[in-house]
Amino acid sequence: MSQGRKAGLLLIFVTVFIDLLGFGIVLPLLPRYGEHFEAGGGTLGLLMASFSAMQFLFAPIWGRLSDRVGRRPILILGLAGSTIFYGMFGFATSLGKEGMFLGIGALSWLFTTRIGAGIAGATIPTAQAYIADITGPKERGKGMALIGAAFGIGFTFGPLIGAAFVSSEVGATPSAAPGYVACVLSGIAALLSIFMLPESLSKEKSNSLSKRLHWFDINSFRHALTRPQIGLILFTIFLTTFAFAQFESTLSLLTQELGFAARSNFYVFAYIGLILTLSQGILVRRLIPRIGEYRMGMAGIILMVAGLLLIGVAGNSGSYALLYAVLPISVVGFSATTPSLQSLLSLNTPDDEQGGVLGVGQSISALARILGPLAGIVLFKGTQNGLIPGSINSPYYVGAGIMLMGLLLMSGLKSKTTNSDSTAKSDT
């Protein structure tokens, strides 16, 4: 690989990493901030889901636009948008419960900032396309791994940075500082992309992609779901992501119930980010080639079931130490399950359908990240009419039940794989 391409990879890693630091700063605070501004269970769930919903809608749109106008302008636009909306998030949290700006209350401004940040942050696939533009087939996997590394490291250090700007006192008024810090970090990433990031897409390739690609490929979605083996994998991906999204979106509320101050809550999320980074980068990457995707996926699901159940137990016990002890179980389980299912999806898809089917897998994951927080927070806080009673352990017990369904689906996948292999052998 040429020095220019290596520099391009480094720059795209740095810009994505810095932007994800901002995401890691804001996410742990959001449920607590929404609750401070008196959002009910359903409203808080919608607030948490709004970011993922916008990413679901806008990721293909940004990707399509980047095929027409180039990767660099879209990445700059996304980073500039993140800068603006993180700054607005800081301002909105400074208004207080009764504060108004332009006749709009603080909670409505929080919704605005999360919707805007979701639209702006939907450019990660464009960053992946940038990497695809400047890497050859042999270098592609390593290049794409940079995005995963940026996620893991950003989600580890973002909360650590955020911890320095919030109170260590339990029940303290939410601080506007984390939003402003996230704004500055995204601004730095935007400046780096403006002054240092070269364009990766050639004019010839742009013309070719513009003719070939569509914003939303409904046919690929329908075709993938009607094929039994691929449908099983996609449904398992949905259940796994849904259960983890319930856990992820309610963890701040759980730590609040356990008496964690905002700073301690940040440390919990940094702890999770570190576990994700180590388990995906070291443990899972080394074990999958030895034991295979199916066994790794089954082990991951079993760990998620056990881990989610134990988180519910920790919530009931009120023990800090127990929560820290059991968190790695479900996190390592998710780290093992996700790449295993993605690999199984690819291995069970014909070469000429890889892009379409893997794209459907991403859409399924995004949909689960929209619905998971909504369900999790409603289970945690309940509904205002009392139809669904809230409980601090309900999201985790329900999540464990959902993962048991995933375990059954994986068993069915093994059976279908065995049958297809037997058929192929008999045909030969």
Side-chain angles (χ1 to χ4, degrees):
M1 185 185 296
S2 67
Q3 292 298 320
R5 290 184 175 184
K6 287 182 179 179
L9 282 175
L10 178 61
L11 282 169
I12 201 71
F13 169 78
V14 170
T15 53
V16 171
F17 164 64
I18 293 175
D19 190 41
L20 287 170
L21 284 176
F23 176 78
I25 289 171
V26 170
L27 180 65
L29 292 172
L30 190 59
R32 293 187 175 204
Y33 279 27
E35 192 172 57
H36 174 78
F37 290 110
E38 301 178 347
T43 303
L44 186 55
L46 289 172
L47 178 64
M48 294 295 295
S50 59
F51 184 93
S52 294
M54 292 303 103
Q55 292 208 316
F56 176 73
L57 292 173
F58 278 86
I61 295 175
W62 288 137
R64 178 66 166 135
L65 286 174
S66 77
D67 292 334
R68 288 182 176 273
V69 304
R71 318 299 186 199
R72 182 174 177 272
I74 299 302
L75 290 170
I76 292 172
L77 183 62
L79 291 166
S82 294
T83 303
I84 292 168
F85 286 108
Y86 282 140
M88 288 176 62
F89 179 86
F91 178 73
T93 55
S94 71
L95 292 175
K97 291 183 181 181
E98 307 299 327
M100 303 278 286
F101 180 67
L102 299 178
I104 301 173
L107 184 58
S108 296
W109 278 115
L110 282 184
F111 266 99
T112 302
T113 64
R114 293 312 290 162
I115 289 170
I119 294 171
T123 54
I124 294 300
T126 305
Q128 293 173 327
Y130 186 104
I131 291 173
D133 292 337
I134 64 173
T135 56
K138 293 182 179 179
E139 304 153 346
R140 188 72 44 80
K142 290 182 179 179
M144 293 298 179
L146 288 176
I147 300 295
F151 267 101
I153 300 172
F155 201 73
T156 302
F157 287 96
L160 289 176
I161 293 172
F165 295 92
V166 293
S167 174
S168 60
E169 297 180 8
V170 177
T173 302
S175 169
Y180 293 135
V181 173
C183 167
V184 171
L185 289 170
S186 290
I188 292 171
L191 291 174
L192 282 174
S193 64
I194 290 170
F195 292 107
M196 300 184 68
L197 190 68
E199 178 55 62
S200 64
L201 186 65
S202 65
K203 187 175 181 180
E204 293 77 11
K205 188 174 181 181
S206 175
N207 292 334
S208 174
L209 289 172
S210 296
K211 294 176 182 177
R212 217 165 24 91
L213 299 180
H214 305 280
W215 290 21
F216 294 99
D217 194 345
I218 301 299
N219 288 331
S220 291
F221 196 88
R222 187 185 303 114
H223 181 60
L225 291 178
T226 55
R227 295 164 67 179
Q229 194 154 323
I230 291 177
L232 274 177
I233 298 170
L234 289 172
F235 195 31
T236 308
I237 288 173
F238 176 83
L239 293 178
T240 301
T241 309
F242 183 93
F244 195 78
Q246 283 195 152
F247 151 73
E248 193 177 50
S249 60
T250 56
L251 183 59
S252 290
L253 299 176
L254 177 62
T255 59
Q256 185 169 258
E257 291 288 334
L258 295 179
F260 282 58
R263 184 172 297 174
S264 300
N265 179 57
F266 269 125
Y267 292 147
V268 172
F269 275 83
Y271 177 56
I272 290 172
L274 180 61
I275 295 167
L276 279 171
T277 302
L278 294 177
S279 58
Q280 288 184 340
I282 298 175
L283 183 65
V284 175
R285 185 173 63 87
R286 293 183 178 182
L287 286 179
I288 281 185
R290 296 182 181 181
I291 68 175
E293 286 84 356
Y294 174 78
R295 290 180 180 176
M296 178 62 77
M298 289 290 284
I301 290 175
I302 291 169
L303 285 173
M304 285 189 69
V305 172
L308 290 170
L309 287 172
L310 288 171
I311 290 170
V313 172
N316 277 336
S317 72
S319 170
Y320 291 17
L322 182 58
L323 180 64
Y324 269 102
V326 302
L327 277 175
I329 300 173
S330 57
V331 175
V332 171
F334 185 72
S335 298
T337 304
T338 301
S340 299
L341 290 172
Q342 290 171 344
S343 182
L344 283 170
L345 185 62
S346 179
L347 290 170
N348 285 277
T349 300
D351 290 343
D352 59 348
E353 298 178 19
Q354 289 283 324
V357 173
L358 292 176
V360 171
Q362 291 297 316
S363 297
I364 289 289
S365 295
L367 186 61
R369 289 193 176 277
I370 295 168
L371 300 177
L374 182 59
I377 289 176
V378 167
L379 287 169
F380 193 100
K381 292 178 65 65
T383 54
Q384 291 181 343
N385 59 13
L387 186 63
I388 300 176
S391 168
I392 65 171
N393 50 30
S394 290
Y396 316 112
Y397 291 158
V398 170
I402 289 170
M403 291 314 303
L404 284 174
M405 292 174 58
L407 196 63
L408 293 175
L409 289 176
M410 282 291 285
S411 300
L413 177 64
K414 177 64 173 178
S415 174
K416 287 181 177 295
T417 302
T418 302
N419 291 338
S420 63
D421 289 345
S422 299
T423 303
K425 288 177 183 178
S426 63
D427 290 342
T428 57

